[in-house]
Amino acid sequence: MGIANFSKFTQFKDLIKALPAVYTDEMIKSEQFLLEREEKKKLEIYYAPFEYINERAKVVIVGITPGLHQMKKSYSTVINARGHLHGDEEILHEVKKNSSFEGTMRKNLVKMLDELGLHTYLNISSTLDLFDEASHLVHTTSVLTYPVFLTEKTIVEQLRTF
């Protein structure tokens, strides 16, 4: 288990921790967290701390890109880690558990994976446990590591409109 070799967490963690507990979308989709912008294609890539790697995982779940909801959850996890989580690896692991596929996406994913019976192969009660006490069994990732936005929407939100 560890931190991805491309991690930018040390560069951004103090900026994230400096955010107030209640922040706006505009505060995180700002220049300070912007990684790259392509004006012509109207693409923006923002930093989000999804850089924990579980090298011992039995299952890998791959998404397209984190959305704004997952980005916000990851920032909140880092902010709330103040004082009770120690070390970058522990914080990034907590981010993955709390933020990966978070929201409706996680609910639907768990339902599909449970219908397939994945939890029985892993000897857990539900694949929901992969995002908590059984997180040692899973590595979650995305094809595009960081949130990618196209004209104020994530790529995922754009795909849903087709």
Side-chain angles (χ1 to χ4, degrees):
M1 300 194 204
I3 300 173
N5 59 2
F6 59 83
S7 177
K8 299 177 185 314
F9 189 59
T10 56
Q11 178 184 343
F12 287 99
K13 72 179 170 184
D14 290 337
L15 291 171
I16 296 170
K17 288 179 178 182
L19 290 168
V22 178
Y23 54 84
T24 64
D25 295 355
E26 293 76 24
M27 293 169 95
I28 63 172
K29 283 182 65 181
S30 65
E31 291 293 323
Q32 69 179 347
F33 297 113
L34 182 68
L35 294 175
E36 197 169 329
R37 176 180 287 136
E38 170 54 60
E39 298 281 346
K40 199 171 188 178
K41 296 179 183 177
K42 298 181 182 175
L43 289 174
E44 296 177 332
I45 303 172
Y46 288 89
Y47 177 74
F50 288 104
E51 299 157 333
Y52 176 80
I53 297 176
N54 182 356
E55 296 167 346
R56 296 186 185 107
K58 303 288 183 205
V59 176
V60 176
I61 302 174
V62 182
I64 298 170
T65 185
L68 182 60
H69 181 71
Q70 290 77 27
M71 182 181 176
K72 289 166 66 172
K73 187 72 172 175
S74 73
Y75 278 49
S76 293
T77 300
V78 173
I79 292 166
N80 294 330
R82 291 182 254 206
H84 77 277
L85 292 178
H86 307 289
D88 292 353
E89 187 173 333
E90 188 177 3
I91 293 169
L92 291 172
H93 183 221
E94 198 66 21
V95 165
K96 282 278 188 124
K97 287 186 340 188
N98 290 341
S99 309
S100 295
F101 299 95
E102 215 287 312
T104 306
M105 191 180 312
R106 183 181 292 180
K107 181 181 173 186
N108 293 336
L109 177 64
V110 165
K111 183 179 177 192
M112 287 188 306
L113 294 176
D114 281 353
E115 284 179 16
L116 291 172
L118 179 62
H119 62 294
T120 59
Y121 291 104
L122 297 173
N123 202 26
I124 56 178
S125 61
S126 168
T127 52
L128 183 59
D129 296 341
L130 294 173
F131 301 95
D132 196 13
E133 66 266 8
S135 64
H136 63 283
L137 298 172
V138 68
H139 176 67
T140 56
T141 190
S142 296
V143 174
L144 304 172
T145 304
Y146 301 113
V148 178
F149 297 91
L150 177 64
T151 59
E152 298 301 313
K153 291 184 180 180
T154 64
I155 297 294
V156 174
E157 290 168 332
Q158 288 289 324
L159 291 173
R160 287 186 188 141
T161 62
F162 289 111

